């Protein structure tokens, strides 16, 4: 955000200072002073630069919640819409999950293992959602139940912490009968990991354990560059696994961005930023595509529904194709039936 706007207010220091001043009554609680709390994608990159590893993103989430409860009229309209429209969003997600599950004979409500794809994939990247199901079925060697509904993360990002907690409790209760819940989207994993504990497992982690059984893709020309999603990398500490998976399927190590791993640059898709500050979110995504082209171009692979959608939008005008790693996992397992343009084929 501070790279896009280049205002002192939007630096991590400025946002933390605003939060402190607001909490102590030293600034007016109006829309202008409230806005910096939502000027954050929650990427945690500032934490990596901080000698004290100050939790800026977590502090700003608490600030959003305090402002939402005390002075809802100063909350950015995009955040308010996300809360007011959450029930409809959750219902649409459930409908998408039901429709997708009906197209796979391996998806059964009575299975012992559950799969949580995530609303980002279900609603905005259905091809990748299908690949995630097919990959999970190949890894499970048995039926899986498809979790219906949203994990509730949009509520937390908007500032409705209490409602988010209530939604999570209800979702966790609905998952009580499952021995394992495989999660595709890292944001969902972060939202639910404290409550699901050892029962939660990332699809990427499951696929990595099956690495030696994966096949190499053929007919893949040009550079394939891995983009570290913020929540998968800095959020969950997963860096080596997607690189190992891509290396196995490609037969070579993926290309890298100049800013990568712990210092990877954000896609602009997190923190509800596309809803609260869409122009800034687009500018951040455009900067990632520019960095990709400067590094040699080719295809981008990421591992997060929000990043996938944001980078696809930013890359469309410049001819940059963006994939999700779930599609490459599915191909490596010989389970993908998708027919998208330039999809990798396994040998």
């Amino acid at each position: 955000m501070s790279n896009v706007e280049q205002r002192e207010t939007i630096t991590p220091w400025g946002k933390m200072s605003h939060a402190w001043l607001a909490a102590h009554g030293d600034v007016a609680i109006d829309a202008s002073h409230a806005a910096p709390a939502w000027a954050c994608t929650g990427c945690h990159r500032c934490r990596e630069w901080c000698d004290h590893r100050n939790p800026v993103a977590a502090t700003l989430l608490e600030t959003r919640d305090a402002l939402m409860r005390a002075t809802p009229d100063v909350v950015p309209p995009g955040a308010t819409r996300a809360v007011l429209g959450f029930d409809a969003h959750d219902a649409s997600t459930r409908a998408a999950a039901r429709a997708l599950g009906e197209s796979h004979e391996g998806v059964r409500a009575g299975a012992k293992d559950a799969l949580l794809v995530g609303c980002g994939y279900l609603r905005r990247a259905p091809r990748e959602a299908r690949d995630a199901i097919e990959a999970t079925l190949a890894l499970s060697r048995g039926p899986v139940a498809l979790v219906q509904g949203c994990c509730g993360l949009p509520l937390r990002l908007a500032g409705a912490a209490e409602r988010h907690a209530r939604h999570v409790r209800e979702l966790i209760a609905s998952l009580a009968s499952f021995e394992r819940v495989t999660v595709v989207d890292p944001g969902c994993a972060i939202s639910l990991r404290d409550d699901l504990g050892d029962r939660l497992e990332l699809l990427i982690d499951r696929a990595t354990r099956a690495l030696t059984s994966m096949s190499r893709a053929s007919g893949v020309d040009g550079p394939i560059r891995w983009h570290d999603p913020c929540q998968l990398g800095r959020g969950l500490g997963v860096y080596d696994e997607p690189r190992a998976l891509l290396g196995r399927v490609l037969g070579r190590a993926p290309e890298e961005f100049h800013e990568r791993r712990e210092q990877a640059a954000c896609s602009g898709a997190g923190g509800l930023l596309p809803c609260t500050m869409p122009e800034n979110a687009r500018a951040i995504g455009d900067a990632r595509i520019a960095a990709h082209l400067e590094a040699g171009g080719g295809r981008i692979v990421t591992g997060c529904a929000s990043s996938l959608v944001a980078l696809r939008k930013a890359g469309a005008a410049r001819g940059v194709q963006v994939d999700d790693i779930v599609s490459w996992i599915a191909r490596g397992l010989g389970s993908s039936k998708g027919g998208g343009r330039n999809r990798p084929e396994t040998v």
Side-chain angles (χ1 to χ4, degrees), residues 152-176:
L153 186 58
L155 292 171
R156 186 69 181 101
L157 298 178
E162 183 176 341
R163 188 172 170 190
H164 167 258
R166 185 168 64 250
H167 180 85
V168 169
R169 286 195 298 270
E170 293 172 355
L171 180 61
I172 295 299
S174 72
L175 302 177

Side-chain angles (χ1 to χ4, degrees), residues 10 32 35 46 88 97 104 108 114 117 121 161 170-171 189 199 247 265 272 291 333-334:
I10 306 301
S32 176
C46 58
H104 291 79
R108 300 175 191 170
V117 177
Y121 290 108
E170 293 172 355
L171 180 61
R199 289 195 296 147
L272 216 64
L333 293 168

Side-chain angles (χ1 to χ4, degrees), residues 4-44:
V4 170
E5 288 209 7
Q6 298 185 359
R7 290 193 293 129
E8 192 73 14
T9 301
I10 306 301
T11 63
W13 172 88
K15 288 180 282 195
M16 292 287 274
S17 296
H18 260 76
W20 193 92
L21 292 170
H24 289 78
D26 295 328
V27 296
I29 306 299
D30 54 26
S32 176
H33 287 95
W38 280 267
C40 172
T41 64
C43 75
H44 305 296

Side-chain angles (χ1 to χ4, degrees), residues 90-100 148:
D90 189 45
S92 296
T93 301
R94 291 176 181 276
R98 284 194 298 269
L100 191 59
Q148 298 180 8

Side-chain angles (χ1 to χ4, degrees), residues 1-2 4-7 10 38-41 267-269 273-274 276-287:
M1 280 294 298
S2 56
V4 170
E5 288 209 7
Q6 298 185 359
R7 290 193 293 129
I10 306 301
W38 280 267
C40 172
T41 64
S267 69
L273 196 70
T276 57
M277 298 182 177
E279 292 184 3
N280 287 358
R282 284 193 295 269
I284 296 171
D286 289 342

Side-chain angles (χ1 to χ4, degrees), residues 66-107:
L67 291 168
M68 182 75 78
R69 285 185 287 105
T71 51
D73 56 314
V74 307
V75 173
T80 300
R81 287 193 298 270
V83 175
L84 294 177
F86 180 77
D87 287 343
H89 163 83
D90 189 45
S92 296
T93 301
R94 291 176 181 276
R98 284 194 298 269
L100 191 59
E102 290 170 358
S103 66
H104 291 79
E105 62 181 19
V107 175

Side-chain angles (χ1 to χ4, degrees), residues 221-264:
D221 300 322
I224 308 291
R225 182 167 288 105
W226 170 249
H227 168 261
D228 287 288
C230 302
Q231 302 310 318
L232 183 65
R234 288 183 290 265
L236 295 171
V238 177
Y239 296 104
D240 295 331
E241 292 85 345
R243 288 171 169 82
L245 289 165
L246 273 179
R248 176 74 180 187
V249 180
L250 288 173
R252 65 181 190 273
E255 304 291 328
E256 297 275 5
F257 279 86
H258 175 68
E259 297 171 303
R260 57 190 182 272
R261 299 183 71 92
E262 288 82 0
Q263 298 301 331

Side-chain angles (χ1 to χ4, degrees), residues 167-189:
H167 180 85
V168 169
R169 286 195 298 270
E170 293 172 355
L171 180 61
I172 295 299
S174 72
L175 302 177
S177 63
F178 298 112
E179 296 178 359
R180 172 168 56 184
V181 180
T182 300
V183 180
V184 181
D185 194 272
C188 295

